[in-house]
């Protein structure tokens, strides 16, 4: 492959990897609402069990719930690994490149004015070629690692959602009975208290009438 073809190929790949980086980071940001949803599901069950002291004895519930919580922690771990700890290399700004070009042109002009532009063009293109090769390699490695961690985070997130959602089935199949019993007890107590109050009021009224 000719130098010009390789130069064009590496240049295209350099900008391709920058586009891939943006897509990965967009996908990572888009997953935040799912994190919040699963966190809300876990927090709700936590509030209904640990905080109020009601601990279902259902092993299936605890298996789903704890495994879902663990998967959620892994999802957070991989999400953080996908978002932080990466250093991307970027081609210098046009001002920097222009300054570099003018400097080497000036240096070569002191040696040979007739060949200065040709030498400068060759050195400048070699510099860009080196940048595209080195920077594309680094950015590709970053994107591959970010994509892998993003995929692991998404897989853990889906698993966490499924497990936590499934834990609601045994939770509501067992806990509502106790909740209903408590509700019935409270209703019965209230009704009894109401009857006693009515009976007392009736007795008081009868006593008043007899007097």
């Amino acid at each position: 492959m000719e130098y010009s073809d390789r130069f064009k190929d590496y240049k295209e790949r350099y900008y391709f990897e920058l586009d891939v980086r943006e897509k990965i980071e967009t996908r990572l940001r888009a997953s935040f609402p799912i994190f919040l949803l699963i966190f809300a599901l876990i927090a709700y069950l936590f509030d209904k069990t640990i905080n109020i002291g009601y601990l279902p004895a259902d092993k299936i519930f605890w298996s789903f719930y704890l495994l879902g919580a663990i998967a959620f922690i892994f999802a957070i771990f991989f999400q953080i690994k996908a978002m932080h700890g990466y250093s991307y290399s970027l081609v210098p700004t046009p001002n920097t490149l222009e300054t570099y070009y003018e400097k080497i042109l000036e240096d070569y002009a002191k040696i040979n004015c007739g060949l200065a532009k040709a030498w400068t063009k060759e050195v400048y293109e070699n510099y860009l070629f080196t940048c595209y090769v080195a920077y594309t390699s680094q950015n590709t490695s970053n994107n591959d690692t970010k994509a892998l961690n993003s995929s692991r985070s998404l897989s853990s997130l889906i698993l966490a959602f499924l497990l936590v959602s499934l834990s609601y089935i045994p939770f509501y199949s067992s806990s509502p009975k106790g909740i209903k019993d408590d509700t019935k007890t409270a209703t019965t107590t209230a009704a009894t208290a109401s009857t006693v109050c009515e009976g007392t009021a009736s007795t008081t009224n009868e006593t008043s009438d007899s007097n």
Side-chain angles (χ1 to χ4, degrees), residues 38 40-46 48-49 56 58-69 159-176:
I38 299 176
L41 293 175
I42 294 175
Y44 176 81
L45 288 180
F46 181 85
K48 291 298 181 182
T49 55
D58 196 319
K59 293 181 180 179
I60 298 178
F61 162 76
W62 285 112
S63 297
F64 283 145
Y65 181 73
L66 293 178
L67 288 175
L159 180 61
F161 176 76
L162 291 176
L163 290 172
V164 174
S165 297
L166 288 174
S167 69
Y168 273 76
I169 298 175
F171 176 77
Y172 277 112
S173 66
S174 59
S175 62

Side-chain angles (χ1 to χ4, degrees), residues 30-43:
S31 64
F32 282 143
I34 305 177
F35 274 93
L36 293 177
L37 171 63
I38 299 176
F39 177 77
L41 293 175
I42 294 175

Side-chain angles (χ1 to χ4, degrees), residues 12-39:
E12 290 177 352
R13 290 190 60 182
Y14 168 78
Y15 287 105
F16 172 77
E17 291 301 331
L18 292 182
D19 185 56
V20 170
R21 173 193 180 185
E22 183 62 28
K23 290 180 179 178
I24 295 174
E25 292 179 350
T26 299
R27 185 172 62 186
L28 290 171
R29 290 191 294 268
S31 64
F32 282 143
I34 305 177
F35 274 93
L36 293 177
L37 171 63
I38 299 176
F39 177 77

Side-chain angles (χ1 to χ4, degrees), residues 120-139:
T120 301
K121 179 182 178 182
E122 181 180 356
V123 172
Y124 181 76
E125 288 181 350
N126 286 336
Y127 171 72
L128 286 179
F129 181 85
T130 303
C131 287
Y132 286 137
V133 171
Y135 297 172
T136 301
S137 298
Q138 180 179 347
N139 295 345

